Amino acid sequence: MKHTISILVENNAGVLARISGLFARRGFNIYSLAVGVTDNEKVSRITIVADGDDYTLEQIEKQLNKLIDVIKVRTVKPDELLQRELVLVKVSCTAAQRHELISIAKITQAKISDISIDSMTLELSDCESRLENFQELLRPYGIKEVVRTGTIAIQKGTAALRA
Amino acid sequence: MATERMTVAAAMVKALEQEGIKHIFGYPGAAICPFFDELIKSDIQNILVRHEANSGHAAAGYARITGKPAVCAATSGPGATNLITAIATAHMDSVPLIAITGQVVSNQIGRDAFQEADITGASEPFVKHSFLVKDGTTIAEVMKKAFYISGTGRPGPVLIDVPMDIQKQEIDFEYPDTVEIRSYKPSFLGNKLQIKKAAEALKNSSKPLICAGGGIFTVNASGELLQLSEMCDIPVISTMMGIGAIPTEHKNYYGMLGVFGVETAKYALKECDLLIALGARMSDRSVTSLSPFHETVVIHIDVDPAEIGKNSPVNIPIVGDVKKVLEQLLTELNEMKHPRWQDMLYTHKSERVKRNTDNEKSAELVSPKYFVKTLCKYLPDKCAVCSDVGSNQIWAANNVVLSGQGRFITSGGMGTMGYAYPAAVGIKTAEPDREVVALSGDGSFQMSFMELATAVQHGINVKGVVFVNNYLGMVREYQDKNFEGRRTMVDLSGSPDFLKIAEAYGIKGETVSGNDRVECAVKKMIEANEPYLLQVMVDRTERSLIE
Ligand SMILES: Cc1ncc(C[n+]2csc(CCOP(=O)(O)OP(=O)(O)O)c2C)c(N)n1
Ligand SMILES: [Mg+2]
């Protein structure tokens, strides 16, 4: 089962290595990992989507909590989470196909970020399943390149994860 | 304390003084020279070992006997990487070790400079925390944090890597009295509700059992453990790390559990209806299979929440300082009696003891089990028996006799050969009035006997014992059992006469080749007021266990 784990860490050198090392060492699989600084410049937030049963998740959380640079760890149930990921997709696009792609962008609420004689780059921020849908829609045109940021997540409602 | 202007190296030494450090085990090289150069001016004694791994083991022995962080130091590159085994060994056994390493100059880092090793990276899986000091002005904070992290909660190794140029940097130094790390809250009481639940479960149990682990020593909770065991009439078994947590001859003690444990301890674990695991990891080595716990209520008390439920299912987890939790638990309990349960175990134990003693008499050369028992008969109460790894470790673990003050020191989690002698050097340095004996196998001893020189040079009065079976005995045993007796790489032919080795270092000793000589040789060794070595010839086929 996939879990989305939010981790607040001290913004110290090497902290990412400690965390990714821990996952590798203890055999926890990472699907995606996204890092960025929070509103406090000394604190970064790492969002990891990882795979594992309940036992594994419990171990991941406990082991993360043991790292000195880890301030807080929280795993929230998927339905209580707002999840977002950004994807950039570069597809082949002849002049004749432009209108089709523009209408796909409109329906999916994607942005057209770049265009050239024979290609178009679309940008979409959404949840994982919609991104996958989006890619499927573009596939027939010939995908040249896909870049994804990895999922970030925030809890719905007023609850906040702060250092 | 007012700020003072000084180099980072001087500040490191000042910090160590502030932490009450009296000895450092180290080995030099260019990258750590600024630090060692400052050490000359201090009262801290530097003990030169002969291999960096042994500086770590010696410091670990020192730390385990004092209960406080102890320090080892090495140079960059190979010096630092040589330390890794010791760091990993300390990590597995939750030993508070401070490892200081020199690093190449800052602007060379990342360029594969001469003797550059990414030691914070390489040691990362084995440390509780580490620091690469890039800015000398942080040194006071780093040192304070290192000691705090290493010595509190579940103790462990902390590495401080300091580039050569940083060591020479001039700073304003002031050592802080306290330190706050917001993400680290190491010591706490147990949850009251859980403690009440545990007390309730204990009242409902007719066959309770305590398994004591190394965590008992960490917080010095032997007294509370003894009180619990005696007041509630609960039998005690231990992990290898927990040997001596209560006196081995106590009527409630039934020995070490695990793969190489004693039968009665395993039997007790199988039969009990309630188990209190105290500061024990319940590792694969101790708890051979999870099934014994089927019907058993398991109460696991540990300071590290990650250990609870990691290796075996737990019914009542209690996270907290083991000593504090025991104090809390004791207030919830009254006297209990479990005569039938104690009788059951006592009968089991008596039968086994008789069988074992019969076996020993027939030993041709020296029976190592008889040796260990005889040794312990003559050792003073305040002693430390250090053991290496292999059959010799099992002989020691299952036959050592310790009173309240005695300690058994071995590499439990890692099983690191060569541990005993340097650990003994460390213990003896910390407490010269403690009688310290290192028991080694002939394989293990050849991994660290260079430290005989350390003992001689610094006048550290360690007693060494080498069990010579001319085999890597435990591996041979393993091959006999699992590879249809095909023995490879276990014959130690070519090994030296260890008495001659001792002699070459100027160390006196004796070769013991029969049970009848043991008593006399042991007495002489203990009386010796200098480093001493016994070479004990044991039967080549002597196994770890009798059963
Ligand atoms: C550093 C290290 N290398 C290898 C091993 C694997 N090992 C475990 S026991 C053992 C044999 C130990 O031989 P010896 O010290 O002579 O003890 P004996 O079993 O003969 O008493 C070996 C090689 C180990 N534990 N540690
Ligand atoms: Mg041997």
Side-chain angles (χ1 to χ4, degrees):
Chain A
M1 197 187 144
K2 275 190 190 177
H3 304 281
T4 307
I5 306 164
S6 302
I7 311 162
L8 292 179
V9 298
E10 300 288 353
N11 214 348
N12 290 341
V15 62
L16 192 58
R18 287 185 212 271
I19 288 177
S20 57
L22 188 149
F23 273 78
R25 193 156 71 234
R26 300 212 176 245
F28 307 145
N29 282 327
I30 296 182
Y31 277 107
S32 74
L33 185 155
V35 201
V37 72
T38 63
D39 55 325
N40 176 348
E41 61 177 22
K42 289 190 174 144
V43 178
S44 282
R45 179 159 174 151
I46 301 176
T47 310
I48 292 180
V49 179
D51 187 29
D53 53 18
D54 289 350
Y55 168 83
T56 310
L57 176 66
E58 189 185 325
Q59 269 297 308
I60 292 180
E61 289 184 331
K62 284 176 168 175
Q63 294 297 342
L64 281 170
N65 271 314
K66 278 175 72 170
L67 295 178
I68 305 292
D69 284 336
V70 168
I71 304 165
K72 271 185 190 163
V73 180
R74 189 164 298 169
T75 310
V76 178
K77 289 196 207 89
D79 54 342
E80 288 167 27
L81 266 187
L82 190 64
Q83 301 195 52
R84 286 293 176 271
E85 184 171 4
L86 178 72
V87 67
L88 295 171
V89 187
K90 190 179 281 181
V91 285
S92 306
C93 177
T94 60
Q97 289 174 314
R98 276 183 197 147
H99 278 292
E100 278 178 43
L101 281 169
I102 288 167
S103 79
I104 288 181
K106 253 193 194 140
I107 295 163
T108 55
Q109 294 186 328
K111 221 167 99 183
I112 294 163
S113 316
D114 186 44
I115 186 159
S116 75
I117 302 269
D118 57 357
S119 79
M120 192 184 271
T121 297
L122 295 95
E123 171 186 335
L124 178 62
S125 157
D126 214 321
C127 65
E128 198 192 334
S129 61
R130 295 238 208 157
L131 292 193
E132 252 134 53
N133 229 358
F134 178 60
Q135 274 183 55
E136 284 316 303
L137 285 173
L138 297 178
R139 195 175 301 282
Y141 300 90
I143 292 179
K144 287 169 167 292
E145 209 176 334
V146 173
V147 187
R148 292 169 67 158
T149 56
T151 298
I152 55 170
I154 199 163
Q155 200 170 347
K156 292 177 187 165
T158 51
L161 183 62
R162 296 191 66 84
Chain B
M1 202 170 85
T3 57
E4 268 182 87
R5 192 88 185 147
M6 63 180 78
T7 63
V8 166
M12 290 162 74
V13 173
K14 281 272 181 301
L16 295 177
E17 288 171 348
Q18 292 284 314
E19 293 293 342
I21 295 301
K22 302 269 186 293
H23 300 91
I24 286 182
F25 301 89
Y27 206 89
I32 192 71
C33 269
F35 170 70
F36 280 142
D37 187 49
E38 284 298 329
L39 216 49
I40 303 172
K41 301 172 196 159
S42 163
D43 287 338
I44 297 172
Q45 202 188 334
N46 190 18
I47 296 177
L48 175 68
V49 294
R50 295 302 190 267
H51 187 291
E52 288 87 351
N54 298 329
S55 73
H57 295 327
Y62 196 109
R64 285 173 74 169
I65 217 72
T66 58
K68 296 198 194 94
V71 185
C72 59
T75 192
S76 67
T81 53
N82 267 353
L83 262 183
I84 291 178
T85 301
I87 292 173
T89 303
H91 186 245
M92 273 288 213
D93 290 342
S94 312
V95 176
L97 181 71
I98 303 280
I100 296 175
T101 50
Q103 182 56 275
V104 299
V105 293
S106 304
N107 65 12
Q108 288 294 321
I109 289 179
R111 300 194 196 184
D112 297 323
F114 177 65
Q115 293 196 328
E116 178 186 0
D118 170 14
I119 193 62
T120 45
S123 64
E124 205 278 320
F126 312 117
V127 293
K128 186 168 173 187
H129 198 58
S130 57
F131 299 92
L132 168 57
V133 182
K134 289 180 174 163
D135 170 4
T137 62
T138 64
I139 195 70
E141 186 194 333
V142 164
M143 296 291 289
K144 188 77 197 172
K145 279 186 178 172
F147 274 87
Y148 175 55
I149 293 169
S150 175
T152 54
R154 179 179 182 176
V158 173
L159 181 131
I160 308 166
D161 196 25
V162 193
M164 224 190 319
D165 55 318
I166 301 286
Q167 290 177 52
K168 293 184 212 157
Q169 186 188 336
E170 288 240 339
I171 55 154
D172 291 320
F173 175 75
E174 183 182 357
Y175 203 58
D177 291 330
T178 54
V179 66
E180 243 304 292
I181 304 174
R182 60 173 151 182
S183 52
Y184 179 69
K185 298 282 169 282
S187 173
F188 36 83
L189 294 171
N191 179 296
K192 278 192 190 131
L193 218 71
Q194 292 295 90
I195 289 180
K196 281 209 159 53
K197 262 200 221 169
E200 214 44 51
L202 193 53
K203 285 171 197 161
N204 293 328
S205 154
S206 57
K207 294 192 281 181
L209 180 69
I210 294 172
C211 174
I216 297 289
F217 297 110
T218 304
V219 287
N220 208 353
S222 285
E224 288 76 8
L225 165 63
L226 199 61
Q227 207 184 331
L228 175 66
S229 168
E230 286 178 345
M231 184 170 93
C232 301
D233 196 23
I234 311 173
V236 179
I237 60 174
S238 76
T239 64
M240 187 174 278
M241 292 294 294
I243 290 174
I246 76 168
T248 53
E249 298 312 283
H250 194 283
K251 67 173 178 38
N252 285 1
Y253 184 64
Y254 292 98
M256 177 179 84
L257 85 168
V259 187
F260 288 101
V262 303
E263 286 303 309
T264 310
K266 294 187 224 176
Y267 174 73
L269 187 66
K270 209 174 97 215
E271 293 294 322
C272 69
D273 64 4
L274 177 137
L275 177 72
I276 308 175
L278 278 178
R281 291 191 294 133
M282 310 310 283
S283 77
D284 56 324
R285 190 101 167 158
S286 308
V287 184
T288 4
S289 83
L290 298 179
S291 56
F293 291 122
H294 241 63
E295 300 279 292
T296 309
V297 177
V298 180
I299 302 168
H300 195 169
I301 304 172
D302 204 291
V303 71
D304 181 359
E307 285 307 335
I308 291 181
K310 185 173 90 181
N311 295 321
S312 59
V314 173
N315 306 86
I316 308 175
I318 305 177
V319 180
D321 179 304
V322 172
K323 191 183 179 83
K324 290 181 183 158
V325 173
L326 279 177
E327 281 167 2
Q328 289 174 283
L329 187 61
L330 281 164
T331 62
E332 299 286 332
L333 295 168
N334 293 313
E335 223 169 278
M336 296 179 189
K337 285 277 168 242
H338 303 102
R340 284 192 49 206
W341 171 225
Q342 292 270 19
D343 272 356
M344 217 171 122
L345 297 181
Y346 188 77
T347 312
H348 192 276
K349 179 175 162 179
S350 312
E351 283 165 6
R352 182 185 164 276
V353 167
K354 186 176 176 312
R355 205 166 65 230
N356 271 359
T357 329
D358 287 351
N359 261 330
E360 274 160 20
K361 287 191 190 118
S362 61
E364 280 212 351
L365 294 151
V366 176
S367 154
K369 293 144 197 164
Y370 170 75
F371 181 92
V372 173
K373 282 185 207 158
T374 311
L375 170 69
C376 292
K377 200 161 93 188
Y378 290 101
L379 279 176
D381 281 357
K382 190 170 180 183
C383 66
V385 177
C386 302
S387 116
D388 249 308
V389 174
S391 310
N392 61 88
Q393 185 182 39
I394 311 307
W395 297 330
N398 287 337
N399 295 285
V400 69
V401 178
L402 299 170
S403 73
Q405 286 194 76
R407 288 289 302 273
F408 179 67
I409 302 283
T410 191
S411 160
M414 199 72 170
T416 304
M417 288 171 68
Y419 187 75
Y421 201 87
V425 165
I427 293 169
K428 190 70 187 174
T429 305
E431 294 190 351
D433 63 335
R434 188 181 282 272
E435 186 66 29
V436 185
V437 185
L439 304 178
S440 302
D442 44 1
S444 298
F445 193 60
Q446 289 181 74
M447 286 204 181
S448 59
F449 74 60
M450 62 289 241
E451 299 309 327
L452 292 172
T454 308
V456 171
Q457 180 177 12
H458 300 278
I460 303 163
N461 185 3
V462 163
K463 312 294 166 62
V465 173
V466 189
F467 291 116
V468 178
N469 56 4
N470 223 2
Y471 265 131
L472 297 171
M474 184 173 265
V475 181
R476 184 212 70 218
E477 225 176 317
Y478 183 78
Q479 290 173 350
D480 284 354
K481 200 166 153 206
N482 300 296
F483 295 87
E484 294 153 352
R486 287 188 302 281
R487 297 175 176 179
T488 57
M489 316 279 282
V490 291
D491 186 325
L492 287 179
S493 297
S495 300
D497 177 338
F498 295 102
L499 201 61
K500 283 196 181 150
I501 293 281
E503 229 170 71
Y505 284 101
I507 290 177
K508 293 195 187 110
E510 187 180 334
T511 297
V512 190
S513 27
N515 272 351
D516 54 336
R517 290 285 309 149
V518 168
E519 206 150 346
C520 182
V522 159
K523 276 199 255 180
K524 230 172 122 187
M525 172 175 80
I526 293 172
E527 275 159 22
N529 214 358
E530 58 193 328
Y532 198 87
L533 190 86
L534 284 186
Q535 169 166 254
V536 178
M537 313 307 284
V538 305
D539 192 320
R540 293 202 81 191
T541 59
E542 183 83 38
R543 289 181 299 156
S544 305
L545 296 172
I546 288 181
E547 287 89 8

